[in-house]
């Protein structure tokens, strides 16, 4: 079952719409985006953090334009068009931006190889533990499954925050680990209002870290009005969403 177009606001709103308006001129990089997608927001945050010039283009999930499908047959966002060629997958794109623009500071990856490896370990933790638990909690209809998912999410948060040097993962420098998890932290109101979750359940350290991340200007500038997210996440809460992430959770698979 698909979501009727009328139920999804077609473009970014609020602070995000102001950011979109500043990025309409053609650039070396085009960000093909869905304003509501947390995986897209990872790349959007990275571009804003690093000040890399980009052009923003919104993809209508029901009427994808031919050029977008020509460069990216998978038809998924986020996608980046770089010198006429397409790349996708949010974590791949985060690293691509580091390699394509090595002289643009600040970098989201640490300088030292060891610290870079540590960052990748904890991004992997977010991918394999945090996100599946978050989505299971949001989508599951059975109370006992929700309870286990809530426990799994809190455990994943505790393990992550135990490594945080503060205020961000590596200390004062906002980086790739923070970017990888930020869109789900800012969306935790969905499970707070509907699934009995609160940040305090993961402890004071997690609540403090979450507050620091969600107050980051790059995140605030890429956020739309809450009311429009509600229209989308209602479908996840009823387990009716048809995104690739939702389908993977229903099938018991890893989120692609």
């Amino acid at each position: 079952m698909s979501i009727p177009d009328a139920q999804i606001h077609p473009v970014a709103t609020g602070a995000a719409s102001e950011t979109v308006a500043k990025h309409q001129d053609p650039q070396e990089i085009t960000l093909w985006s869905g304003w509501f997608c947390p995986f897209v927001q990872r790349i959007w945050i990275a571009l804003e953090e690093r000040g890399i010039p980009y052009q923003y283009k919104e993809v209508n999930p029901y009427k994808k334009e031919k050029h977008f499908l020509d460069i990216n047959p998978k038809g998924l966002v986020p996608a980046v068009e770089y010198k006429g060629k397409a790349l996708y997958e949010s974590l791949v794109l985060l690293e691509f931006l580091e390699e394509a623009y090595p002289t643009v500071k600040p970098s989201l990856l640490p300088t030292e190889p060891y610290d870079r490896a540590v960052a990748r370990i904890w991004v992997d933790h977010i991918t394999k533990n945090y996100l599946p638990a978050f989505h299971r909690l949001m989508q599951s209809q059975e109370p006992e499954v929700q309870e286990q998912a809530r426990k799994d999410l809190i455990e994943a948060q505790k393990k992550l925050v135990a490594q945080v040097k503060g205020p961000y993962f590596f200390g004062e420098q906002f980086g790739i680990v923070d970017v990888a998890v930020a869109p789900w932290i800012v969306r935790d109101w969905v499970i707070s209002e509907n699934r009995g979750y609160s940040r305090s359940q993961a402890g004071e350290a997690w609540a403090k870290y979450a507050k620091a991340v969600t107050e980051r200007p790059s995140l605030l500038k890429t956020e739309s009005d809450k009311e429009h997210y509600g229209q989308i996440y209602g479908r996840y809460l009823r387990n009716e969403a048809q995104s690739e992430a939702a389908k993977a959770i229903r099938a018991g698979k890893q989120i692609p």
Side-chain angles (χ1 to χ4, degrees):
M1 181 177 181
S2 62
I3 309 171
D5 289 352
Q7 291 187 10
I8 290 185
H9 199 278
V11 294
T13 57
S17 68
E18 298 176 12
T19 304
V20 168
K22 296 174 183 177
H23 294 278
Q24 293 303 296
D25 294 336
Q27 302 290 345
E28 186 174 61
I29 278 187
T30 300
L31 172 62
W32 292 90
S33 176
W35 65 265
F36 49 83
C37 176
F39 296 96
V40 165
Q41 195 175 18
R42 282 173 165 172
I43 312 310
W44 206 359
I45 289 170
L47 289 166
E48 287 293 320
E49 280 288 333
R50 301 191 66 212
I52 297 171
Y54 66 95
Q55 182 181 20
Y56 180 101
K57 288 192 177 183
E58 189 74 38
V59 176
N60 183 323
Y62 308 104
K63 299 177 183 178
K64 296 170 183 174
E65 60 183 88
K66 183 178 182 301
H67 177 70
F68 174 65
L69 292 174
D70 285 344
I71 63 166
N72 182 13
K74 291 182 72 173
L76 299 177
V77 292
V80 159
E81 187 175 358
Y82 176 71
K83 299 181 179 179
K85 298 178 180 179
L87 294 167
Y88 35 87
E89 303 295 347
S90 63
L91 297 179
V92 172
L93 290 174
L94 288 178
E95 297 233 17
F96 163 75
L97 292 175
E98 295 292 318
E99 295 176 357
Y101 298 92
T103 62
V104 176
K105 303 299 179 183
S107 172
L108 295 177
L109 275 172
T111 302
E112 294 299 321
Y114 175 83
D115 289 339
R116 288 189 173 216
V118 168
R120 292 177 177 119
I121 287 171
W122 287 99
V123 167
D124 186 65
H125 169 75
I126 292 165
T127 300
K128 293 179 179 177
N129 299 291
Y130 190 114
L131 301 193
F134 185 101
H135 282 265
R136 282 199 308 274
L137 177 55
M138 187 165 54
Q139 289 179 226
S140 297
Q141 304 301 295
E142 303 83 2
E144 63 275 14
V145 180
Q146 293 175 8
E147 178 62 22
Q148 186 58 55
R150 185 165 47 247
K151 290 179 179 178
D152 291 344
L153 176 61
I154 291 167
E155 181 65 18
Q157 291 172 339
K158 287 180 176 179
K159 286 182 178 179
L160 179 61
V161 81
Q163 306 299 316
V164 171
K165 294 180 172 62
Y168 306 114
F169 187 84
F170 278 111
E172 295 296 327
Q173 181 60 51
F174 189 76
I176 194 168
V177 179
D178 310 302
V179 173
V181 74
W184 285 267
I185 295 178
V186 80
R187 286 164 173 76
D188 66 11
W189 61 267
V190 178
I191 54 176
S192 293
E193 294 179 6
N194 297 280
R195 294 292 189 258
Y197 164 85
S198 71
R199 292 176 183 175
S200 63
Q201 292 168 348
E204 182 179 349
W206 177 260
K208 184 177 180 181
Y209 172 68
K211 183 175 186 293
V213 169
T214 55
E215 291 178 351
R216 190 74 182 179
S218 60
L219 190 145
L220 296 174
K221 289 192 294 185
T222 56
E223 276 289 291
S224 285
D225 294 330
K226 182 179 176 181
E227 62 188 276
H228 299 304
Y229 291 102
Q231 295 169 343
I232 294 166
Y233 284 106
R235 297 195 66 85
Y236 282 87
L237 292 166
R238 296 188 299 272
N239 201 18
E240 297 172 355
Q242 295 301 314
S243 69
E244 295 304 312
K247 292 176 184 177
I249 291 297
R250 275 196 291 274
K253 298 179 180 179
Q254 184 173 316
I255 296 174

